[in-house]
Amino acid sequence: MSRFDDIKNLINGIEGDMTKFYSKGNKAAGTRARKGLQEVKKIAQDIRLEIQDIKNRS
């Protein structure tokens, strides 16, 4: 479950940048948000593969 915790922490960290980008138009915050979301995508894909491997072994 540590990877799931990593995703939750990343989302919580991105929240401030998302707010800055959407409400204030801060372009640098948008860049940071995109980078964080890319990391979330990568971790989520790793989790999906792990789940599929566990399902196939059973």
Coordinates of all heavy atoms in Angstrom, one line a residue:
M1 N 0.8 -1.2 0.0 CA 0.0 0.0 0.0 C 0.9 1.3 0.0 O 0.3 2.3 -0.1 CB -0.9 0.0 1.2 CG -2.1 -1.0 1.1 SD -3.3 -0.6 -0.1 CE -4.2 0.7 0.7
S2 N 2.2 1.1 0.1 CA 3.0 2.3 0.1 C 2.9 3.1 -1.2 O 3.0 4.4 -1.2 CB 4.4 2.0 0.4 OG 5.0 1.3 -0.7
R3 N 2.7 2.4 -2.3 CA 2.6 3.2 -3.6 C 1.3 4.0 -3.6 O 1.3 5.1 -4.1 CB 2.6 2.2 -4.8 CG 4.0 1.6 -5.0 CD 4.0 0.8 -6.2 NE 5.2 0.1 -6.4 CZ 5.5 -0.7 -7.4 NH1 4.5 -1.0 -8.3 NH2 6.6 -1.3 -7.5
F4 N 0.2 3.4 -3.0 CA -1.0 4.1 -2.9 C -0.8 5.4 -2.1 O -1.3 6.5 -2.4 CB -2.1 3.2 -2.4 CG -3.5 3.9 -2.4 CD1 -4.1 4.2 -3.5 CD2 -4.0 4.2 -1.2 CE1 -5.4 4.8 -3.5 CE2 -5.3 4.8 -1.1 CZ -5.9 5.1 -2.3
D5 N -0.1 5.2 -1.0 CA 0.2 6.4 -0.2 C 1.0 7.4 -0.9 O 0.8 8.6 -0.7 CB 0.9 6.0 1.1 CG 0.1 5.2 2.1 OD1 -1.2 5.3 2.0 OD2 0.6 4.3 2.8
D6 N 1.9 7.0 -1.8 CA 2.7 7.9 -2.6 C 1.8 8.7 -3.5 O 2.0 9.9 -3.7 CB 3.7 7.1 -3.5 CG 4.8 6.5 -2.7 OD1 5.0 6.9 -1.5 OD2 5.5 5.6 -3.2
I7 N 0.8 8.1 -4.1 CA -0.1 8.8 -5.0 C -0.9 9.8 -4.2 O -1.1 10.9 -4.6 CB -1.1 7.8 -5.7 CG1 -0.3 7.0 -6.8 CG2 -2.3 8.5 -6.3 CD1 -1.2 6.0 -7.5
K8 N -1.4 9.4 -3.0 CA -2.2 10.4 -2.2 C -1.3 11.6 -1.8 O -1.8 12.7 -1.9 CB -2.7 9.7 -0.9 CG -3.8 8.7 -1.2 CD -4.5 8.3 0.1 CE -3.7 7.6 1.1 NZ -4.4 7.0 2.2
N9 N 0.0 11.3 -1.5 CA 0.8 12.4 -1.1 C 1.1 13.3 -2.3 O 1.2 14.6 -2.2 CB 2.2 11.9 -0.5 CG 2.0 11.3 0.8 OD1 1.0 11.6 1.6 ND2 2.8 10.3 1.2
L10 N 1.3 12.7 -3.5 CA 1.5 13.6 -4.7 C 0.3 14.4 -5.0 O 0.4 15.6 -5.3 CB 1.8 12.7 -5.9 CG 3.3 12.2 -6.0 CD1 3.4 11.1 -7.1 CD2 4.1 13.4 -6.4
I11 N -0.9 13.8 -4.9 CA -2.1 14.6 -5.2 C -2.2 15.7 -4.2 O -2.6 16.9 -4.6 CB -3.3 13.7 -5.1 CG1 -3.3 12.6 -6.2 CG2 -4.6 14.5 -5.1 CD1 -3.5 13.2 -7.6
N12 N -2.0 15.5 -2.9 CA -2.0 16.5 -1.9 C -1.0 17.6 -2.2 O -1.3 18.8 -2.0 CB -1.8 16.0 -0.5 CG -3.0 15.2 0.0 OD1 -4.1 15.4 -0.4 ND2 -2.8 14.2 0.9
G13 N 0.2 17.3 -2.7 CA 1.2 18.2 -3.0 C 0.8 19.1 -4.3 O 1.2 20.2 -4.4
I14 N 0.2 18.5 -5.2 CA -0.2 19.1 -6.4 C -1.4 20.1 -6.2 O -1.5 21.1 -7.0 CB -0.6 18.1 -7.5 CG1 0.6 17.2 -7.9 CG2 -1.2 18.7 -8.8 CD1 0.3 16.0 -8.7
E15 N -2.2 19.9 -5.2 CA -3.4 20.7 -5.0 C -3.1 22.2 -5.0 O -3.8 23.0 -5.6 CB -4.0 20.3 -3.7 CG -5.3 21.0 -3.5 CD -6.0 20.5 -2.2 OE1 -5.4 19.8 -1.4 OE2 -7.2 20.9 -2.0
G16 N -2.0 22.6 -4.3 CA -1.7 24.0 -4.2 C -1.4 24.6 -5.6 O -1.8 25.7 -6.0
D17 N -0.6 23.9 -6.4 CA -0.2 24.3 -7.7 C -1.4 24.4 -8.6 O -1.5 25.3 -9.5 CB 0.9 23.4 -8.3 CG 2.2 23.6 -7.7 OD1 2.5 24.7 -7.3 OD2 3.0 22.6 -7.5
M18 N -2.3 23.4 -8.5 CA -3.5 23.5 -9.3 C -4.4 24.7 -9.0 O -4.9 25.4 -9.9 CB -4.4 22.2 -9.1 CG -3.7 20.9 -9.5 SD -3.5 20.8 -11.3 CE -5.1 20.3 -11.7
T19 N -4.5 25.0 -7.7 CA -5.2 26.2 -7.3 C -4.6 27.5 -7.9 O -5.3 28.3 -8.4 CB -5.3 26.3 -5.8 OG1 -6.0 25.1 -5.3 CG2 -6.1 27.5 -5.3
K20 N -3.3 27.5 -7.8 CA -2.5 28.7 -8.3 C -2.7 28.9 -9.8 O -2.9 30.0 -10.3 CB -1.0 28.6 -7.9 CG -0.7 28.8 -6.5 CD 0.8 28.7 -6.2 CE 1.1 28.7 -4.7 NZ 2.5 28.5 -4.5
F21 N -2.7 27.7 -10.5 CA -2.8 27.8 -11.9 C -4.2 28.2 -12.4 O -4.3 29.1 -13.2 CB -2.4 26.5 -12.6 CG -2.6 26.5 -14.0 CD1 -1.7 27.1 -14.9 CD2 -3.6 25.8 -14.6 CE1 -1.9 27.2 -16.2 CE2 -3.8 25.8 -16.0 CZ -2.9 26.5 -16.8
Y22 N -5.2 27.5 -11.8 CA -6.6 27.8 -12.3 C -7.2 29.1 -11.7 O -7.9 29.7 -12.5 CB -7.5 26.6 -11.9 CG -7.3 25.5 -12.9 CD1 -6.7 24.3 -12.5 CD2 -7.7 25.5 -14.2 CE1 -6.5 23.2 -13.3 CE2 -7.6 24.5 -15.1 CZ -6.9 23.3 -14.6 OH -6.8 22.3 -15.5
S23 N -6.8 29.5 -10.5 CA -7.5 30.7 -10.0 C -6.6 32.0 -10.3 O -7.2 33.0 -10.4 CB -7.7 30.6 -8.5 OG -6.5 30.4 -7.8
K24 N -5.3 31.8 -10.4 CA -4.4 33.0 -10.5 C -3.7 33.0 -11.9 O -3.1 34.0 -12.2 CB -3.4 33.0 -9.4 CG -4.0 33.2 -8.0 CD -3.0 33.2 -6.9 CE -3.6 33.2 -5.6 NZ -2.6 33.1 -4.5
G25 N -3.8 32.0 -12.6 CA -3.2 31.9 -13.9 C -1.7 31.8 -13.9 O -1.0 32.2 -14.8
N26 N -1.1 31.3 -12.8 CA 0.3 31.1 -12.6 C 0.8 30.0 -13.5 O 0.6 28.8 -13.2 CB 0.6 30.9 -11.1 CG 2.1 30.8 -10.8 OD1 2.9 30.4 -11.6 ND2 2.4 31.2 -9.6
K27 N 1.5 30.4 -14.5 CA 2.0 29.4 -15.5 C 3.0 28.4 -14.9 O 3.1 27.2 -15.3 CB 2.6 30.1 -16.7 CG 1.5 30.8 -17.6 CD 2.1 31.4 -18.8 CE 1.0 32.1 -19.5 NZ 1.5 32.7 -20.8
A28 N 3.9 28.9 -14.0 CA 4.9 28.0 -13.4 C 4.2 26.9 -12.6 O 4.6 25.8 -12.5 CB 5.9 28.8 -12.6
A29 N 3.1 27.3 -11.9 CA 2.4 26.4 -11.1 C 1.8 25.3 -12.0 O 1.7 24.1 -11.6 CB 1.3 27.1 -10.3
G30 N 1.3 25.7 -13.2 CA 0.8 24.7 -14.1 C 1.8 23.7 -14.6 O 1.5 22.5 -14.7
T31 N 3.1 24.2 -14.8 CA 4.1 23.3 -15.1 C 4.4 22.3 -14.0 O 4.6 21.1 -14.3 CB 5.4 24.1 -15.5 OG1 5.1 25.0 -16.6 CG2 6.6 23.2 -15.9
R32 N 4.5 22.8 -12.8 CA 4.7 21.9 -11.6 C 3.6 20.9 -11.5 O 3.8 19.7 -11.2 CB 4.8 22.7 -10.4 CG 6.1 23.5 -10.3 CD 6.3 24.1 -8.9 NE 5.3 25.0 -8.5 CZ 5.2 26.3 -8.7 NH1 6.2 26.9 -9.4 NH2 4.2 27.0 -8.3
A33 N 2.3 21.3 -11.7 CA 1.2 20.4 -11.6 C 1.3 19.4 -12.7 O 1.0 18.2 -12.4 CB -0.1 21.2 -11.8
R34 N 1.6 19.7 -13.9 CA 1.8 18.7 -15.0 C 2.8 17.7 -14.7 O 2.7 16.5 -14.9 CB 2.1 19.4 -16.3 CG 0.9 20.2 -16.9 CD 1.2 20.9 -18.2 NE 1.8 20.0 -19.2 CZ 2.9 20.2 -19.8 NH1 3.7 21.2 -19.6 NH2 3.4 19.3 -20.7
K35 N 3.9 18.2 -14.1 CA 5.0 17.3 -13.7 C 4.6 16.3 -12.7 O 4.8 15.1 -12.7 CB 6.2 18.1 -13.2 CG 7.4 17.2 -12.9 CD 8.6 18.1 -12.4 CE 9.8 17.2 -12.0 NZ 10.9 18.0 -11.5
G36 N 3.8 16.8 -11.7 CA 3.3 16.0 -10.6 C 2.3 15.0 -11.1 O 2.3 13.8 -10.7
L37 N 1.5 15.4 -12.0 CA 0.4 14.5 -12.6 C 1.1 13.4 -13.4 O 0.6 12.3 -13.4 CB -0.6 15.3 -13.4 CG -1.5 16.2 -12.6 CD1 -2.3 17.1 -13.5 CD2 -2.4 15.3 -11.7
Q38 N 2.2 13.7 -14.1 CA 2.9 12.7 -14.9 C 3.5 11.7 -13.9 O 3.4 10.5 -14.2 CB 4.0 13.4 -15.7 CG 4.8 12.4 -16.6 CD 3.9 11.8 -17.6 OE1 3.0 12.5 -18.2 NE2 4.1 10.6 -18.0
E39 N 4.0 12.1 -12.8 CA 4.5 11.1 -11.8 C 3.3 10.3 -11.2 O 3.5 9.1 -11.0 CB 5.2 11.9 -10.6 CG 5.9 11.0 -9.7 CD 7.0 10.2 -10.2 OE1 7.6 10.6 -11.3 OE2 7.4 9.1 -9.7
V40 N 2.2 10.8 -11.0 CA 1.0 10.1 -10.5 C 0.7 9.0 -11.6 O 0.4 7.9 -11.3 CB -0.2 11.0 -10.3 CG1 -1.5 10.2 -10.1 CG2 0.0 11.9 -9.1
K41 N 0.7 9.4 -12.8 CA 0.4 8.5 -13.9 C 1.4 7.3 -13.9 O 1.0 6.1 -14.1 CB 0.4 9.2 -15.3 CG 0.2 8.4 -16.5 CD 0.3 9.2 -17.7 CE 0.3 8.2 -19.0 NZ 0.5 9.0 -20.2
K42 N 2.7 7.6 -13.7 CA 3.7 6.6 -13.8 C 3.5 5.6 -12.6 O 3.5 4.4 -12.8 CB 5.1 7.2 -13.6 CG 6.2 6.3 -13.6 CD 7.5 7.0 -13.5 CE 8.7 6.1 -13.3 NZ 8.8 5.5 -11.9
I43 N 3.2 6.1 -11.4 CA 3.0 5.2 -10.2 C 1.8 4.4 -10.4 O 1.7 3.2 -10.1 CB 3.0 6.1 -8.9 CG1 4.4 6.7 -8.7 CG2 2.6 5.2 -7.8 CD1 4.4 7.7 -7.5
A44 N 0.7 5.0 -10.9 CA -0.6 4.3 -11.1 C -0.4 3.2 -12.1 O -0.9 2.1 -11.9 CB -1.6 5.3 -11.6
Q45 N 0.4 3.4 -13.2 CA 0.7 2.3 -14.1 C 1.4 1.2 -13.5 O 1.1 0.0 -13.7 CB 1.4 2.9 -15.3 CG 1.7 1.9 -16.4 CD 0.5 1.3 -17.1 OE1 -0.5 2.0 -17.2 NE2 0.5 0.1 -17.5
D46 N 2.4 1.5 -12.7 CA 3.2 0.5 -11.9 C 2.3 -0.3 -11.1 O 2.4 -1.6 -11.0 CB 4.3 1.1 -11.1 CG 5.4 1.7 -11.9 OD1 5.5 1.4 -13.1 OD2 6.2 2.5 -11.4
I47 N 1.3 0.3 -10.4 CA 0.4 -0.4 -9.5 C -0.5 -1.3 -10.3 O -0.8 -2.4 -10.0 CB -0.5 0.6 -8.7 CG1 0.4 1.4 -7.7 CG2 -1.6 -0.1 -8.0 CD1 -0.3 2.5 -7.0
R48 N -1.0 -0.8 -11.5 CA -1.8 -1.6 -12.3 C -1.1 -2.9 -12.8 O -1.7 -4.0 -12.8 CB -2.3 -0.8 -13.6 CG -3.2 0.3 -13.3 CD -3.6 1.1 -14.5 NE -4.5 0.3 -15.3 CZ -4.3 -0.1 -16.6 NH1 -3.2 0.3 -17.2 NH2 -5.2 -0.8 -17.2
L49 N 0.1 -2.7 -13.2 CA 0.9 -3.9 -13.6 C 1.1 -4.9 -12.4 O 1.0 -6.1 -12.6 CB 2.3 -3.5 -14.2 CG 2.2 -2.7 -15.5 CD1 3.6 -2.2 -15.8 CD2 1.6 -3.6 -16.6
E50 N 1.4 -4.4 -11.2 CA 1.6 -5.2 -10.1 C 0.3 -6.0 -9.8 O 0.3 -7.2 -9.5 CB 2.0 -4.4 -8.9 CG 2.2 -5.1 -7.6 CD 2.6 -4.3 -6.4 OE1 3.0 -3.1 -6.7 OE2 2.3 -4.7 -5.3
I51 N -0.9 -5.3 -9.8 CA -2.1 -6.0 -9.6 C -2.4 -7.1 -10.6 O -2.8 -8.2 -10.3 CB -3.3 -4.9 -9.6 CG1 -3.2 -4.0 -8.3 CG2 -4.6 -5.6 -9.6 CD1 -4.1 -2.8 -8.4
Q52 N -2.1 -6.8 -11.9 CA -2.3 -7.8 -12.9 C -1.4 -9.0 -12.7 O -1.9 -10.1 -12.9 CB -2.0 -7.1 -14.3 CG -2.5 -8.0 -15.4 CD -4.0 -8.2 -15.5 OE1 -4.8 -7.3 -15.2 NE2 -4.4 -9.3 -15.8
D53 N -0.2 -8.8 -12.3 CA 0.7 -9.9 -12.0 C 0.2 -10.7 -10.9 O 0.2 -12.0 -11.0 CB 2.1 -9.4 -11.7 CG 2.9 -8.9 -12.9 OD1 2.5 -9.2 -14.0 OD2 3.9 -8.1 -12.7
I54 N -0.3 -10.1 -9.8 CA -0.8 -10.9 -8.7 C -2.0 -11.7 -9.1 O -2.2 -12.8 -8.7 CB -1.1 -9.9 -7.5 CG1 0.2 -9.3 -7.0 CG2 -1.9 -10.6 -6.4 CD1 0.0 -8.2 -6.0
K55 N -2.9 -11.0 -9.9 CA -4.1 -11.7 -10.4 C -3.8 -12.9 -11.2 O -4.4 -14.0 -11.1 CB -5.0 -10.8 -11.2 CG -5.8 -9.8 -10.4 CD -6.6 -8.9 -11.2 CE -7.3 -9.5 -12.4 NZ -8.0 -8.6 -13.3
N56 N -2.8 -12.8 -12.1 CA -2.4 -13.9 -13.0 C -1.7 -15.0 -12.2 O -1.8 -16.2 -12.7 CB -1.5 -13.4 -14.1 CG -2.3 -12.5 -15.1 OD1 -3.5 -12.6 -15.2 ND2 -1.6 -11.7 -15.8
R57 N -1.0 -14.8 -11.1 CA -0.4 -15.8 -10.4 C -1.4 -16.6 -9.6 O -1.1 -17.8 -9.2 CB 0.6 -15.2 -9.4 CG 1.9 -14.8 -10.1 CD 3.0 -14.4 -9.1 NE 2.8 -13.0 -8.9 CZ 3.2 -12.4 -7.8 NH1 3.7 -13.0 -6.8 NH2 3.1 -11.1 -7.7
S58 N -2.5 -16.1 -9.3 CA -3.5 -16.8 -8.4 C -4.2 -17.9 -9.2 O -4.5 -17.9 -10.3 CB -4.5 -15.8 -7.8 OG -3.8 -14.9 -7.0

